[in-house]
Amino acid sequence: MRIALVDDTAEELKILSDIINNELPHATVFTFSSGESFLEAWDDNSYDLILLDIYMSGLLGVDVAKRIRETDPDVRLVFCTTSNEFA
């Protein structure tokens, strides 16, 4: 399984990456510090699962998800946030 983590907070990326690596040791985790850097590297069918922070500087997670859905209707998307408003 190929998993992309997109979050502009380095600490959150490390926490999520560590959790996934512990729970899914055979998964390959790719981390991105912005929606823009993810979209530059992203290609259809590149990942099985994409975890997106909702609030990031630059492109928001929902904006990134809209771009993904333009060409890939099947990849699984999960939104992550520390915001109580969206939890």
Side-chain angles (χ1 to χ4, degrees):
M1 175 178 266
R2 295 170 51 92
I3 301 172
L5 306 177
V6 186
D7 196 315
D8 61 345
T9 306
E11 183 178 337
E12 297 297 327
L13 277 177
K14 180 168 178 10
I15 290 168
L16 287 170
S17 182
D18 288 348
I19 291 169
I20 291 169
N21 285 322
N22 286 333
E23 297 297 322
L24 301 169
H26 299 294
T28 304
V29 177
F30 300 86
T31 60
F32 300 90
S33 60
S34 70
E36 293 85 355
S37 64
F38 169 77
L39 289 173
E40 288 175 14
W42 177 73
D43 191 17
D44 292 353
N45 302 313
S46 297
Y47 305 100
D48 302 297
L49 175 66
I50 302 169
L51 283 79
L52 297 163
D53 183 13
I54 292 176
Y55 286 118
M56 295 184 282
S57 58
L59 287 174
L60 301 177
V62 291
D63 298 326
V64 176
K66 287 177 187 176
R67 297 270 299 275
I68 292 167
R69 287 292 182 238
E70 289 174 1
T71 59
D72 190 341
D74 299 321
V75 67
R76 291 174 181 90
L77 300 176
V78 174
F79 291 100
C80 302
T81 187
T82 57
S83 167
N84 290 335
E85 181 181 344
F86 288 103

